Amino acid sequence: MAQAAAVAKAPAPPRRRRASATPRRLPYLLIAPAALLMVGFIAYPVISVFYYSLQNYNPTKPWRNGYAGFDNFVHAFTDDPQFWDTLTFSAQWVFVEVGLQLLFGLALALIVNQTFVGRALGRALVFSPWAVSGVLTSVIWVLLYNSQTGITRYLADVGIGSYGTSWLSDTSTVFPAAIVADLWRGVPFFAILILADLQSVSKDLYEAAEVDGASRLKQFWHITLPHLKDAIVLSTLLRAVWEFNNVDLLYTLTNGGPAGETTTLPLYIANTSVDAHNFGYASALTTVAFVILLVCSMVYLRLSKFGGEGK
């Protein structure tokens, strides 16, 4: 009986408290400010562009504003030859720029990856143009291309060309001149990414290849290049998107001229919205550019098998 009474008087075991919901919600609470900022600064502008692409919206002509449906898109593809001209030039600009930047960036990365006296200084000089803004880069090259004090004057002094020549105002030279200016700024981007990936290549692979009698060219083709595949795919994709959206350098360097020879689609969009105040049509062109970049990026990543095992 005493034992039974003791058992009856024994305190009941503490109930298991329910797990607090706060720790489970804490990660979501922590990322909530960043998520709200992304919605405010990214999602809302994108949705606004899609909305205005279906509108006739010009603040200087409010009596014409209203729902337009797909009229802006139909006008772009059927009645606006400048749209096709700027789209063609944008494709040409991206193809030439990204191809040359990759070629020179790869060469520079291979050079500064070697061991030599003053390598740190050499790397700093190679990478320094990437720190310069697009507007400042264009100002530098405007001065270099100046017909009175720039390169053309010194070339004329040695008998090459004539005085007063401006490469930026001549339709036959403006494209190569703009290409060189943007190369100066864009090549370091490829050099930085490729050099970072080169640092992770095991030297044992090259030593084994040398033992097997492989030449430098074969080592590059069978060891270096496969290892750099993902870095090259990612850097070319990012740079292609940036070059397609290039506005600051071309706007400051040539303002799309002469005679519209260097007007890219984003620059045409900027002129349509800011100068002509036709925000509805500019939004439609922006939507077209967004779809083009999205489809091209997806196809490029699929064809390149980015992130695959076959290195």
Side-chain angles (χ1 to χ4, degrees), residues 55 57-61 72 75-76 80 82-83 86 247 251 255 263-286:
Q55 306 289 324
Y57 182 66
N58 189 331
T60 63
K61 301 176 181 178
N72 289 326
H75 175 70
D80 188 0
Q82 192 171 359
F83 164 73
T86 57
V247 173
Y251 180 82
N255 196 20
T263 302
T264 59
L265 181 57
L267 185 55
Y268 178 47
I269 293 172
N271 292 334
T272 302
S273 58
V274 177
D275 296 337
H277 305 289
N278 193 350
F279 293 98
Y281 187 56
S283 298
L285 295 177
T286 303

PDB file of all heavy atoms in Angstrom, residues 55 57-61 72 75-76 80 82-83 86 247 251 255 263-286:
ATOM      1  N   GLN A  55       0.474  49.370 -74.129  1.00  0.00           N
ATOM      2  CA  GLN A  55      -0.197  50.658 -74.039  1.00  0.00           C
ATOM      3  C   GLN A  55       0.396  51.649 -75.039  1.00  0.00           C
ATOM      4  O   GLN A  55       1.556  51.528 -75.447  1.00  0.00           O
ATOM      5  CB  GLN A  55      -0.051  51.236 -72.628  1.00  0.00           C
ATOM      6  CG  GLN A  55      -0.498  50.335 -71.506  1.00  0.00           C
ATOM      7  CD  GLN A  55      -1.991  50.163 -71.457  1.00  0.00           C
ATOM      8  OE1 GLN A  55      -2.757  51.084 -71.733  1.00  0.00           O
ATOM      9  NE2 GLN A  55      -2.445  48.950 -71.121  1.00  0.00           N
ATOM     10  N   TYR A  57       1.593  55.070 -74.637  1.00  0.00           N
ATOM     11  CA  TYR A  57       1.870  55.941 -73.497  1.00  0.00           C
ATOM     12  C   TYR A  57       2.950  56.944 -73.881  1.00  0.00           C
ATOM     13  O   TYR A  57       4.113  56.595 -74.071  1.00  0.00           O
ATOM     14  CB  TYR A  57       2.307  55.132 -72.285  1.00  0.00           C
ATOM     15  CG  TYR A  57       2.568  55.993 -71.059  1.00  0.00           C
ATOM     16  CD1 TYR A  57       1.527  56.674 -70.438  1.00  0.00           C
ATOM     17  CD2 TYR A  57       3.841  56.134 -70.544  1.00  0.00           C
ATOM     18  CE1 TYR A  57       1.744  57.473 -69.344  1.00  0.00           C
ATOM     19  CE2 TYR A  57       4.087  56.928 -69.433  1.00  0.00           C
ATOM     20  CZ  TYR A  57       3.037  57.595 -68.837  1.00  0.00           C
ATOM     21  OH  TYR A  57       3.263  58.383 -67.752  1.00  0.00           O
ATOM     22  N   ASN A  58       2.524  58.180 -74.020  1.00  0.00           N
ATOM     23  CA  ASN A  58       3.428  59.285 -74.319  1.00  0.00           C
ATOM     24  C   ASN A  58       2.974  60.474 -73.488  1.00  0.00           C
ATOM     25  O   ASN A  58       1.918  61.068 -73.763  1.00  0.00           O
ATOM     26  CB  ASN A  58       3.393  59.626 -75.808  1.00  0.00           C
ATOM     27  CG  ASN A  58       4.477  60.625 -76.198  1.00  0.00           C
ATOM     28  OD1 ASN A  58       4.895  61.450 -75.391  1.00  0.00           O
ATOM     29  ND2 ASN A  58       4.924  60.561 -77.449  1.00  0.00           N
ATOM     30  N   PRO A  59       3.733  60.859 -72.449  1.00  0.00           N
ATOM     31  CA  PRO A  59       3.292  61.961 -71.570  1.00  0.00           C
ATOM     32  C   PRO A  59       3.088  63.272 -72.313  1.00  0.00           C
ATOM     33  O   PRO A  59       2.311  64.115 -71.857  1.00  0.00           O
ATOM     34  CB  PRO A  59       4.434  62.067 -70.550  1.00  0.00           C
ATOM     35  CG  PRO A  59       5.107  60.736 -70.579  1.00  0.00           C
ATOM     36  CD  PRO A  59       4.993  60.247 -71.995  1.00  0.00           C
ATOM     37  N   THR A  60       3.766  63.480 -73.445  1.00  0.00           N
ATOM     38  CA  THR A  60       3.602  64.729 -74.191  1.00  0.00           C
ATOM     39  C   THR A  60       2.352  64.730 -75.058  1.00  0.00           C
ATOM     40  O   THR A  60       1.954  65.780 -75.562  1.00  0.00           O
ATOM     41  CB  THR A  60       4.838  64.975 -75.069  1.00  0.00           C
ATOM     42  OG1 THR A  60       4.956  63.916 -76.043  1.00  0.00           O
ATOM     43  CG2 THR A  60       6.093  65.023 -74.224  1.00  0.00           C
ATOM     44  N   LYS A  61       1.746  63.553 -75.247  1.00  0.00           N
ATOM     45  CA  LYS A  61       0.521  63.444 -76.048  1.00  0.00           C
ATOM     46  C   LYS A  61      -0.502  62.594 -75.291  1.00  0.00           C
ATOM     47  O   LYS A  61      -0.839  61.479 -75.704  1.00  0.00           O
ATOM     48  CB  LYS A  61       0.824  62.828 -77.414  1.00  0.00           C
ATOM     49  CG  LYS A  61       1.831  63.629 -78.232  1.00  0.00           C
ATOM     50  CD  LYS A  61       2.175  62.918 -79.534  1.00  0.00           C
ATOM     51  CE  LYS A  61       3.204  63.717 -80.333  1.00  0.00           C
ATOM     52  NZ  LYS A  61       3.583  63.022 -81.593  1.00  0.00           N
ATOM     53  N   ASN A  72       2.032  47.798 -80.800  1.00  0.00           N
ATOM     54  CA  ASN A  72       3.438  48.203 -80.713  1.00  0.00           C
ATOM     55  C   ASN A  72       4.355  47.129 -81.260  1.00  0.00           C
ATOM     56  O   ASN A  72       5.340  47.428 -81.958  1.00  0.00           O
ATOM     57  CB  ASN A  72       3.805  48.509 -79.259  1.00  0.00           C
ATOM     58  CG  ASN A  72       3.164  49.788 -78.753  1.00  0.00           C
ATOM     59  OD1 ASN A  72       2.994  50.745 -79.505  1.00  0.00           O
ATOM     60  ND2 ASN A  72       2.790  49.808 -77.482  1.00  0.00           N
ATOM     61  N   HIS A  75       3.981  46.962 -85.082  1.00  0.00           N
ATOM     62  CA  HIS A  75       4.691  48.087 -85.702  1.00  0.00           C
ATOM     63  C   HIS A  75       6.199  47.839 -85.734  1.00  0.00           C
ATOM     64  O   HIS A  75       6.868  48.152 -86.732  1.00  0.00           O
ATOM     65  CB  HIS A  75       4.391  49.373 -84.942  1.00  0.00           C
ATOM     66  CG  HIS A  75       5.161  50.557 -85.440  1.00  0.00           C
ATOM     67  ND1 HIS A  75       4.925  51.157 -86.660  1.00  0.00           N
ATOM     68  CD2 HIS A  75       6.194  51.253 -84.882  1.00  0.00           C
ATOM     69  CE1 HIS A  75       5.754  52.160 -86.838  1.00  0.00           C
ATOM     70  NE2 HIS A  75       6.537  52.246 -85.773  1.00  0.00           N
ATOM     71  N   ALA A  76       6.740  47.265 -84.664  1.00  0.00           N
ATOM     72  CA  ALA A  76       8.182  47.018 -84.602  1.00  0.00           C
ATOM     73  C   ALA A  76       8.619  46.029 -85.672  1.00  0.00           C
ATOM     74  O   ALA A  76       9.645  46.233 -86.341  1.00  0.00           O
ATOM     75  CB  ALA A  76       8.571  46.508 -83.218  1.00  0.00           C
ATOM     76  N   ASP A  80       8.803  49.297 -88.894  1.00  0.00           N
ATOM     77  CA  ASP A  80       9.918  50.065 -88.334  1.00  0.00           C
ATOM     78  C   ASP A  80      11.242  49.482 -88.827  1.00  0.00           C
ATOM     79  O   ASP A  80      11.815  48.592 -88.189  1.00  0.00           O
ATOM     80  CB  ASP A  80       9.869  50.037 -86.801  1.00  0.00           C
ATOM     81  CG  ASP A  80      10.886  50.973 -86.179  1.00  0.00           C
ATOM     82  OD1 ASP A  80      11.622  51.646 -86.928  1.00  0.00           O
ATOM     83  OD2 ASP A  80      10.974  51.026 -84.937  1.00  0.00           O
ATOM     84  N   GLN A  82      14.117  50.786 -88.716  1.00  0.00           N
ATOM     85  CA  GLN A  82      15.209  51.091 -87.790  1.00  0.00           C
ATOM     86  C   GLN A  82      15.341  50.023 -86.714  1.00  0.00           C
ATOM     87  O   GLN A  82      16.450  49.769 -86.221  1.00  0.00           O
ATOM     88  CB  GLN A  82      14.984  52.462 -87.146  1.00  0.00           C
ATOM     89  CG  GLN A  82      16.213  52.978 -86.404  1.00  0.00           C
ATOM     90  CD  GLN A  82      16.055  54.414 -85.961  1.00  0.00           C
ATOM     91  OE1 GLN A  82      15.027  55.048 -86.225  1.00  0.00           O
ATOM     92  NE2 GLN A  82      17.062  54.934 -85.268  1.00  0.00           N
ATOM     93  N   PHE A  83      14.223  49.389 -86.360  1.00  0.00           N
ATOM     94  CA  PHE A  83      14.292  48.301 -85.398  1.00  0.00           C
ATOM     95  C   PHE A  83      15.162  47.165 -85.926  1.00  0.00           C
ATOM     96  O   PHE A  83      16.032  46.643 -85.215  1.00  0.00           O
ATOM     97  CB  PHE A  83      12.883  47.790 -85.094  1.00  0.00           C
ATOM     98  CG  PHE A  83      12.852  46.436 -84.425  1.00  0.00           C
ATOM     99  CD1 PHE A  83      13.215  46.291 -83.098  1.00  0.00           C
ATOM    100  CD2 PHE A  83      12.478  45.298 -85.139  1.00  0.00           C
ATOM    101  CE1 PHE A  83      13.204  45.043 -82.480  1.00  0.00           C
ATOM    102  CE2 PHE A  83      12.461  44.051 -84.525  1.00  0.00           C
ATOM    103  CZ  PHE A  83      12.817  43.922 -83.200  1.00  0.00           C
ATOM    104  N   THR A  86      18.927  48.267 -86.079  1.00  0.00           N
ATOM    105  CA  THR A  86      19.587  48.273 -84.775  1.00  0.00           C
ATOM    106  C   THR A  86      19.764  46.856 -84.235  1.00  0.00           C
ATOM    107  O   THR A  86      20.771  46.560 -83.584  1.00  0.00           O
ATOM    108  CB  THR A  86      18.781  49.107 -83.775  1.00  0.00           C
ATOM    109  OG1 THR A  86      17.445  48.598 -83.676  1.00  0.00           O
ATOM    110  CG2 THR A  86      18.736  50.563 -84.212  1.00  0.00           C
ATOM    111  N   VAL A 247      25.083  50.696 -73.656  1.00  0.00           N
ATOM    112  CA  VAL A 247      24.530  52.011 -73.966  1.00  0.00           C
ATOM    113  C   VAL A 247      25.525  53.110 -73.632  1.00  0.00           C
ATOM    114  O   VAL A 247      25.742  54.034 -74.426  1.00  0.00           O
ATOM    115  CB  VAL A 247      23.207  52.251 -73.208  1.00  0.00           C
ATOM    116  CG1 VAL A 247      22.735  53.688 -73.394  1.00  0.00           C
ATOM    117  CG2 VAL A 247      22.126  51.296 -73.707  1.00  0.00           C
ATOM    118  N   TYR A 251      26.908  55.543 -76.473  1.00  0.00           N
ATOM    119  CA  TYR A 251      26.206  56.823 -76.395  1.00  0.00           C
ATOM    120  C   TYR A 251      27.198  57.978 -76.237  1.00  0.00           C
ATOM    121  O   TYR A 251      27.074  59.019 -76.885  1.00  0.00           O
ATOM    122  CB  TYR A 251      25.221  56.814 -75.231  1.00  0.00           C
ATOM    123  CG  TYR A 251      24.448  58.109 -75.069  1.00  0.00           C
ATOM    124  CD1 TYR A 251      23.327  58.361 -75.854  1.00  0.00           C
ATOM    125  CD2 TYR A 251      24.851  59.068 -74.141  1.00  0.00           C
ATOM    126  CE1 TYR A 251      22.614  59.541 -75.715  1.00  0.00           C
ATOM    127  CE2 TYR A 251      24.146  60.254 -73.998  1.00  0.00           C
ATOM    128  CZ  TYR A 251      23.033  60.481 -74.784  1.00  0.00           C
ATOM    129  OH  TYR A 251      22.343  61.659 -74.643  1.00  0.00           O
ATOM    130  N   ASN A 255      27.191  58.459 -79.873  1.00  0.00           N
ATOM    131  CA  ASN A 255      25.771  58.786 -79.800  1.00  0.00           C
ATOM    132  C   ASN A 255      24.988  58.067 -80.904  1.00  0.00           C
ATOM    133  O   ASN A 255      24.003  58.588 -81.439  1.00  0.00           O
ATOM    134  CB  ASN A 255      25.541  60.294 -79.877  1.00  0.00           C
ATOM    135  CG  ASN A 255      24.145  60.690 -79.423  1.00  0.00           C
ATOM    136  OD1 ASN A 255      23.473  59.942 -78.716  1.00  0.00           O
ATOM    137  ND2 ASN A 255      23.693  61.861 -79.841  1.00  0.00           N
ATOM    138  N   THR A 263      24.162  52.434 -83.736  1.00  0.00           N
ATOM    139  CA  THR A 263      23.003  52.439 -82.850  1.00  0.00           C
ATOM    140  C   THR A 263      22.583  51.007 -82.557  1.00  0.00           C
ATOM    141  O   THR A 263      22.133  50.286 -83.450  1.00  0.00           O
ATOM    142  CB  THR A 263      21.824  53.195 -83.480  1.00  0.00           C
ATOM    143  OG1 THR A 263      22.218  54.538 -83.779  1.00  0.00           O
ATOM    144  CG2 THR A 263      20.638  53.224 -82.523  1.00  0.00           C
ATOM    145  N   THR A 264      22.753  50.593 -81.318  1.00  0.00           N
ATOM    146  CA  THR A 264      22.290  49.271 -80.899  1.00  0.00           C
ATOM    147  C   THR A 264      20.811  49.350 -80.531  1.00  0.00           C
ATOM    148  O   THR A 264      20.248  50.432 -80.384  1.00  0.00           O
ATOM    149  CB  THR A 264      23.093  48.767 -79.693  1.00  0.00           C
ATOM    150  OG1 THR A 264      22.951  49.705 -78.612  1.00  0.00           O
ATOM    151  CG2 THR A 264      24.563  48.615 -80.038  1.00  0.00           C
ATOM    152  N   LEU A 265      20.194  48.198 -80.364  1.00  0.00           N
ATOM    153  CA  LEU A 265      18.776  48.175 -79.988  1.00  0.00           C
ATOM    154  C   LEU A 265      18.539  48.853 -78.639  1.00  0.00           C
ATOM    155  O   LEU A 265      17.595  49.659 -78.519  1.00  0.00           O
ATOM    156  CB  LEU A 265      18.265  46.729 -79.977  1.00  0.00           C
ATOM    157  CG  LEU A 265      16.784  46.550 -79.613  1.00  0.00           C
ATOM    158  CD1 LEU A 265      15.891  47.349 -80.554  1.00  0.00           C
ATOM    159  CD2 LEU A 265      16.403  45.073 -79.631  1.00  0.00           C
ATOM    160  N   PRO A 266      19.332  48.590 -77.583  1.00  0.00           N
ATOM    161  CA  PRO A 266      19.113  49.317 -76.318  1.00  0.00           C
ATOM    162  C   PRO A 266      19.297  50.824 -76.463  1.00  0.00           C
ATOM    163  O   PRO A 266      18.585  51.597 -75.807  1.00  0.00           O
ATOM    164  CB  PRO A 266      20.166  48.711 -75.380  1.00  0.00           C
ATOM    165  CG  PRO A 266      20.398  47.345 -75.917  1.00  0.00           C
ATOM    166  CD  PRO A 266      20.316  47.511 -77.404  1.00  0.00           C
ATOM    167  N   LEU A 267      20.241  51.262 -77.298  1.00  0.00           N
ATOM    168  CA  LEU A 267      20.418  52.699 -77.508  1.00  0.00           C
ATOM    169  C   LEU A 267      19.219  53.287 -78.250  1.00  0.00           C
ATOM    170  O   LEU A 267      18.776  54.403 -77.944  1.00  0.00           O
ATOM    171  CB  LEU A 267      21.703  52.954 -78.292  1.00  0.00           C
ATOM    172  CG  LEU A 267      22.111  54.414 -78.510  1.00  0.00           C
ATOM    173  CD1 LEU A 267      22.196  55.148 -77.181  1.00  0.00           C
ATOM    174  CD2 LEU A 267      23.442  54.492 -79.247  1.00  0.00           C
ATOM    175  N   TYR A 268      18.679  52.535 -79.188  1.00  0.00           N
ATOM    176  CA  TYR A 268      17.461  52.961 -79.879  1.00  0.00           C
ATOM    177  C   TYR A 268      16.288  53.047 -78.905  1.00  0.00           C
ATOM    178  O   TYR A 268      15.467  53.974 -78.972  1.00  0.00           O
ATOM    179  CB  TYR A 268      17.161  51.982 -81.018  1.00  0.00           C
ATOM    180  CG  TYR A 268      15.901  52.278 -81.789  1.00  0.00           C
ATOM    181  CD1 TYR A 268      15.603  53.563 -82.230  1.00  0.00           C
ATOM    182  CD2 TYR A 268      15.002  51.254 -82.091  1.00  0.00           C
ATOM    183  CE1 TYR A 268      14.447  53.826 -82.951  1.00  0.00           C
ATOM    184  CE2 TYR A 268      13.843  51.504 -82.806  1.00  0.00           C
ATOM    185  CZ  TYR A 268      13.574  52.792 -83.232  1.00  0.00           C
ATOM    186  OH  TYR A 268      12.419  53.052 -83.947  1.00  0.00           O
ATOM    187  N   ILE A 269      16.216  52.091 -77.992  1.00  0.00           N
ATOM    188  CA  ILE A 269      15.163  52.119 -76.962  1.00  0.00           C
ATOM    189  C   ILE A 269      15.317  53.352 -76.079  1.00  0.00           C
ATOM    190  O   ILE A 269      14.322  54.024 -75.751  1.00  0.00           O
ATOM    191  CB  ILE A 269      15.212  50.835 -76.125  1.00  0.00           C
ATOM    192  CG1 ILE A 269      14.833  49.615 -76.983  1.00  0.00           C
ATOM    193  CG2 ILE A 269      14.294  50.931 -74.916  1.00  0.00           C
ATOM    194  CD1 ILE A 269      15.033  48.290 -76.280  1.00  0.00           C
ATOM    195  N   ALA A 270      16.551  53.646 -75.682  1.00  0.00           N
ATOM    196  CA  ALA A 270      16.788  54.824 -74.835  1.00  0.00           C
ATOM    197  C   ALA A 270      16.393  56.104 -75.553  1.00  0.00           C
ATOM    198  O   ALA A 270      15.757  56.993 -74.958  1.00  0.00           O
ATOM    199  CB  ALA A 270      18.257  54.867 -74.420  1.00  0.00           C
ATOM    200  N   ASN A 271      16.737  56.216 -76.827  1.00  0.00           N
ATOM    201  CA  ASN A 271      16.370  57.412 -77.587  1.00  0.00           C
ATOM    202  C   ASN A 271      14.860  57.510 -77.768  1.00  0.00           C
ATOM    203  O   ASN A 271      14.282  58.601 -77.704  1.00  0.00           O
ATOM    204  CB  ASN A 271      17.057  57.395 -78.956  1.00  0.00           C
ATOM    205  CG  ASN A 271      18.557  57.562 -78.852  1.00  0.00           C
ATOM    206  OD1 ASN A 271      19.065  58.153 -77.896  1.00  0.00           O
ATOM    207  ND2 ASN A 271      19.293  57.034 -79.816  1.00  0.00           N
ATOM    208  N   THR A 272      14.201  56.361 -77.979  1.00  0.00           N
ATOM    209  CA  THR A 272      12.753  56.355 -78.171  1.00  0.00           C
ATOM    210  C   THR A 272      12.018  56.787 -76.908  1.00  0.00           C
ATOM    211  O   THR A 272      11.015  57.504 -76.974  1.00  0.00           O
ATOM    212  CB  THR A 272      12.274  54.952 -78.595  1.00  0.00           C
ATOM    213  OG1 THR A 272      12.947  54.570 -79.800  1.00  0.00           O
ATOM    214  CG2 THR A 272      10.773  54.926 -78.832  1.00  0.00           C
ATOM    215  N   SER A 273      12.528  56.360 -75.762  1.00  0.00           N
ATOM    216  CA  SER A 273      11.851  56.688 -74.500  1.00  0.00           C
ATOM    217  C   SER A 273      12.240  58.066 -73.980  1.00  0.00           C
ATOM    218  O   SER A 273      11.366  58.879 -73.645  1.00  0.00           O
ATOM    219  CB  SER A 273      12.166  55.620 -73.450  1.00  0.00           C
ATOM    220  OG  SER A 273      13.571  55.527 -73.243  1.00  0.00           O
ATOM    221  N   VAL A 274      13.535  58.344 -73.921  1.00  0.00           N
ATOM    222  CA  VAL A 274      13.993  59.590 -73.295  1.00  0.00           C
ATOM    223  C   VAL A 274      13.810  60.787 -74.227  1.00  0.00           C
ATOM    224  O   VAL A 274      13.337  61.854 -73.805  1.00  0.00           O
ATOM    225  CB  VAL A 274      15.470  59.456 -72.875  1.00  0.00           C
ATOM    226  CG1 VAL A 274      15.973  60.768 -72.286  1.00  0.00           C
ATOM    227  CG2 VAL A 274      15.637  58.327 -71.865  1.00  0.00           C
ATOM    228  N   ASP A 275      14.180  60.638 -75.480  1.00  0.00           N
ATOM    229  CA  ASP A 275      14.106  61.766 -76.413  1.00  0.00           C
ATOM    230  C   ASP A 275      12.716  61.932 -77.027  1.00  0.00           C
ATOM    231  O   ASP A 275      12.169  63.031 -77.070  1.00  0.00           O
ATOM    232  CB  ASP A 275      15.144  61.592 -77.535  1.00  0.00           C
ATOM    233  CG  ASP A 275      16.573  61.613 -77.002  1.00  0.00           C
ATOM    234  OD1 ASP A 275      16.784  62.169 -75.912  1.00  0.00           O
ATOM    235  OD2 ASP A 275      17.468  61.077 -77.677  1.00  0.00           O
ATOM    236  N   ALA A 276      12.131  60.825 -77.508  1.00  0.00           N
ATOM    237  CA  ALA A 276      10.820  60.906 -78.150  1.00  0.00           C
ATOM    238  C   ALA A 276       9.664  60.751 -77.170  1.00  0.00           C
ATOM    239  O   ALA A 276       8.508  60.971 -77.551  1.00  0.00           O
ATOM    240  CB  ALA A 276      10.709  59.830 -79.237  1.00  0.00           C
ATOM    241  N   HIS A 277       9.937  60.360 -75.931  1.00  0.00           N
ATOM    242  CA  HIS A 277       8.924  60.196 -74.879  1.00  0.00           C
ATOM    243  C   HIS A 277       7.865  59.157 -75.243  1.00  0.00           C
ATOM    244  O   HIS A 277       6.760  59.189 -74.705  1.00  0.00           O
ATOM    245  CB  HIS A 277       8.244  61.533 -74.569  1.00  0.00           C
ATOM    246  CG  HIS A 277       9.188  62.628 -74.206  1.00  0.00           C
ATOM    247  ND1 HIS A 277       9.877  62.659 -73.015  1.00  0.00           N
ATOM    248  CD2 HIS A 277       9.583  63.738 -74.904  1.00  0.00           C
ATOM    249  CE1 HIS A 277      10.634  63.736 -72.974  1.00  0.00           C
ATOM    250  NE2 HIS A 277      10.484  64.408 -74.106  1.00  0.00           N
ATOM    251  N   ASN A 278       8.200  58.246 -76.140  1.00  0.00           N
ATOM    252  CA  ASN A 278       7.260  57.196 -76.536  1.00  0.00           C
ATOM    253  C   ASN A 278       7.531  55.966 -75.679  1.00  0.00           C
ATOM    254  O   ASN A 278       8.128  54.986 -76.124  1.00  0.00           O
ATOM    255  CB  ASN A 278       7.420  56.874 -78.021  1.00  0.00           C
ATOM    256  CG  ASN A 278       6.277  56.032 -78.559  1.00  0.00           C
ATOM    257  OD1 ASN A 278       5.453  55.519 -77.791  1.00  0.00           O
ATOM    258  ND2 ASN A 278       6.218  55.889 -79.873  1.00  0.00           N
ATOM    259  N   PHE A 279       7.073  56.010 -74.440  1.00  0.00           N
ATOM    260  CA  PHE A 279       7.405  54.965 -73.487  1.00  0.00           C
ATOM    261  C   PHE A 279       6.669  53.661 -73.790  1.00  0.00           C
ATOM    262  O   PHE A 279       7.165  52.586 -73.456  1.00  0.00           O
ATOM    263  CB  PHE A 279       7.080  55.436 -72.062  1.00  0.00           C
ATOM    264  CG  PHE A 279       7.958  56.551 -71.592  1.00  0.00           C
ATOM    265  CD1 PHE A 279       7.527  57.862 -71.650  1.00  0.00           C
ATOM    266  CD2 PHE A 279       9.222  56.290 -71.093  1.00  0.00           C
ATOM    267  CE1 PHE A 279       8.334  58.895 -71.219  1.00  0.00           C
ATOM    268  CE2 PHE A 279      10.044  57.318 -70.655  1.00  0.00           C
ATOM    269  CZ  PHE A 279       9.602  58.626 -70.725  1.00  0.00           C
ATOM    270  N   GLY A 280       5.520  53.722 -74.392  1.00  0.00           N
ATOM    271  CA  GLY A 280       4.810  52.500 -74.739  1.00  0.00           C
ATOM    272  C   GLY A 280       5.557  51.693 -75.780  1.00  0.00           C
ATOM    273  O   GLY A 280       5.765  50.478 -75.612  1.00  0.00           O
ATOM    274  N   TYR A 281       5.971  52.346 -76.849  1.00  0.00           N
ATOM    275  CA  TYR A 281       6.717  51.645 -77.903  1.00  0.00           C
ATOM    276  C   TYR A 281       8.084  51.206 -77.392  1.00  0.00           C
ATOM    277  O   TYR A 281       8.552  50.112 -77.716  1.00  0.00           O
ATOM    278  CB  TYR A 281       6.863  52.551 -79.119  1.00  0.00           C
ATOM    279  CG  TYR A 281       7.477  51.861 -80.311  1.00  0.00           C
ATOM    280  CD1 TYR A 281       6.915  50.695 -80.831  1.00  0.00           C
ATOM    281  CD2 TYR A 281       8.619  52.362 -80.927  1.00  0.00           C
ATOM    282  CE1 TYR A 281       7.475  50.056 -81.924  1.00  0.00           C
ATOM    283  CE2 TYR A 281       9.180  51.739 -82.022  1.00  0.00           C
ATOM    284  CZ  TYR A 281       8.602  50.582 -82.524  1.00  0.00           C
ATOM    285  OH  TYR A 281       9.172  49.944 -83.603  1.00  0.00           O
ATOM    286  N   ALA A 282       8.728  52.036 -76.583  1.00  0.00           N
ATOM    287  CA  ALA A 282      10.029  51.659 -76.014  1.00  0.00           C
ATOM    288  C   ALA A 282       9.894  50.441 -75.108  1.00  0.00           C
ATOM    289  O   ALA A 282      10.774  49.573 -75.088  1.00  0.00           O
ATOM    290  CB  ALA A 282      10.620  52.831 -75.235  1.00  0.00           C
ATOM    291  N   SER A 283       8.803  50.347 -74.365  1.00  0.00           N
ATOM    292  CA  SER A 283       8.572  49.173 -73.519  1.00  0.00           C
ATOM    293  C   SER A 283       8.375  47.922 -74.354  1.00  0.00           C
ATOM    294  O   SER A 283       8.839  46.841 -73.984  1.00  0.00           O
ATOM    295  CB  SER A 283       7.347  49.402 -72.625  1.00  0.00           C
ATOM    296  OG  SER A 283       7.541  50.493 -71.748  1.00  0.00           O
ATOM    297  N   ALA A 284       7.703  48.055 -75.497  1.00  0.00           N
ATOM    298  CA  ALA A 284       7.530  46.908 -76.391  1.00  0.00           C
ATOM    299  C   ALA A 284       8.882  46.448 -76.940  1.00  0.00           C
ATOM    300  O   ALA A 284       9.164  45.243 -77.001  1.00  0.00           O
ATOM    301  CB  ALA A 284       6.586  47.269 -77.529  1.00  0.00           C
ATOM    302  N   LEU A 285       9.726  47.396 -77.327  1.00  0.00           N
ATOM    303  CA  LEU A 285      11.061  47.041 -77.816  1.00  0.00           C
ATOM    304  C   LEU A 285      11.886  46.389 -76.708  1.00  0.00           C
ATOM    305  O   LEU A 285      12.649  45.448 -76.966  1.00  0.00           O
ATOM    306  CB  LEU A 285      11.772  48.292 -78.342  1.00  0.00           C
ATOM    307  CG  LEU A 285      11.165  48.961 -79.577  1.00  0.00           C
ATOM    308  CD1 LEU A 285      11.947  50.219 -79.929  1.00  0.00           C
ATOM    309  CD2 LEU A 285      11.151  48.002 -80.763  1.00  0.00           C
ATOM    310  N   THR A 286      11.733  46.875 -75.485  1.00  0.00           N
ATOM    311  CA  THR A 286      12.445  46.271 -74.355  1.00  0.00           C
ATOM    312  C   THR A 286      11.984  44.844 -74.118  1.00  0.00           C
ATOM    313  O   THR A 286      12.800  43.955 -73.828  1.00  0.00           O
ATOM    314  CB  THR A 286      12.204  47.107 -73.082  1.00  0.00           C
ATOM    315  OG1 THR A 286      12.629  48.453 -73.311  1.00  0.00           O
ATOM    316  CG2 THR A 286      12.988  46.537 -71.907  1.00  0.00           C
TER     317      THR A 286
END
